């Protein structure tokens, strides 16, 4: 469902910006703001390595990726909107396949405080660095109901066949 989601206006897949992590060279602030970066390739590796004991564990990593995108990118941006579209598609598929309700709120659980944005600006001006935000301060993705069913075999992430971030966008 996630990889099949296509933007009807531009014909691009919504997931393309989520395949790989943003470049550390091009987006160093991403790794200051986002404490637990994750991309679809990471989730795919975790599936292949059987690291998800339950569907909830699998869902939690997807939700983390979507929350990271909405934390780093502005509301209304292409990446932010794609995260919302993909989250709805994933949660509908998980709910349909498991019979459990995987619907969770859209948007980050706790957006970056203005004080942190000011600290980033100040550190850039002074040449100092800001410590990463703790995971609990950035999002609270562990408040999801926990069905304990194992991840169904057909819930794998198919290799997309290509990677990268088109048009110089940051991805998530």
């Amino acid at each position: 469902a996630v990889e099949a989601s296509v933007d009807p206006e531009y014909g691009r897949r919504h997931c393309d910006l989520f395949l790989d992590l943003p470049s550390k060279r091009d987006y160093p602030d991403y790794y200051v703001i986002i404490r637990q970066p994750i991309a679809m390739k990471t989730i795919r590796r975790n599936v292949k390595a059987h690291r998800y004991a339950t569907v909830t564990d699998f869902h939690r990593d997807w939700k983390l990726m979507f929350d990271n995108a909405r934390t780093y990118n502005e509301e209304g941006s292409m990446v932010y909107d794609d995260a919302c579209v993909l989250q709805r598609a994933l949660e509908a598929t998980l709910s349909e396949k498991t019979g459990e309700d995987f619907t969770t709120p859209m948007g980050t659980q706790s957006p970056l405080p203005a004080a942190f944005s000011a600290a980033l600006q100040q550190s850039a001006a002074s040449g100092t660095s800001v410590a990463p935000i703790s995971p609990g301060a950035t999002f609270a993705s562990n408040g999801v109901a926990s069905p304990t069913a194992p991840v169904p075999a057909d819930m794998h992430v198919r290799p997309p066949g290509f990677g990268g971030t088109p048009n110089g966008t940051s991805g998530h």
Side-chain angles (χ1 to χ4, degrees):
V2 170
E3 290 183 353
S5 179
V6 175
D7 182 319
E9 186 175 348
Y10 299 104
R12 65 176 185 80
R13 293 185 322 165
H14 290 112
C15 72
D16 287 344
L17 298 175
F18 296 86
L19 297 174
D20 296 300
L21 291 171
S23 162
K24 288 182 180 179
R25 183 184 52 120
D26 295 337
Y27 303 97
D29 62 328
Y30 181 86
Y31 296 90
V32 173
I33 296 168
I34 302 301
R35 180 72 172 146
Q36 294 180 314
I38 190 166
M40 286 177 62
K41 285 186 178 178
T42 307
I43 295 170
R44 182 180 306 111
R45 276 194 305 271
N46 289 345
V47 168
K48 287 180 180 179
H50 306 286
R51 290 193 179 116
Y52 298 118
T54 67
V55 177
T56 298
D57 296 337
F58 179 71
H59 176 251
R60 188 175 295 122
D61 271 358
W62 284 95
K63 179 78 165 92
L64 171 62
M65 184 178 71
F66 301 139
D67 285 347
N68 286 350
R70 288 185 293 254
T71 297
Y72 184 74
N73 296 279
E74 291 183 20
E75 188 171 351
S77 69
M78 181 175 64
V79 178
Y80 188 104
D81 292 345
D82 284 353
C84 293
V85 168
L86 294 173
Q87 182 176 335
R88 282 190 292 273
L90 174 74
E91 291 176 349
T93 300
L94 291 176
S95 296
E96 178 185 323
K97 291 198 178 267
T98 65
E100 301 287 336
D101 183 10
F102 277 90
T103 307
T104 57
M106 290 290 158
T108 57
Q109 298 293 333
S110 62
L112 290 177
F116 185 75
S117 294
L120 275 177
Q121 290 173 349
Q122 183 178 18
S123 74
S126 67
T128 60
S129 63
V130 176
I133 299 174
S134 67
T138 306
F139 50 83
S141 61
N142 59 358
V144 179
S146 305
T148 56
V151 177
D154 65 342
M155 286 290 210
H156 66 281
V157 180
R158 293 187 334 256
F162 63 95
T165 54
N167 303 325
T169 53
S170 69
H172 52 101

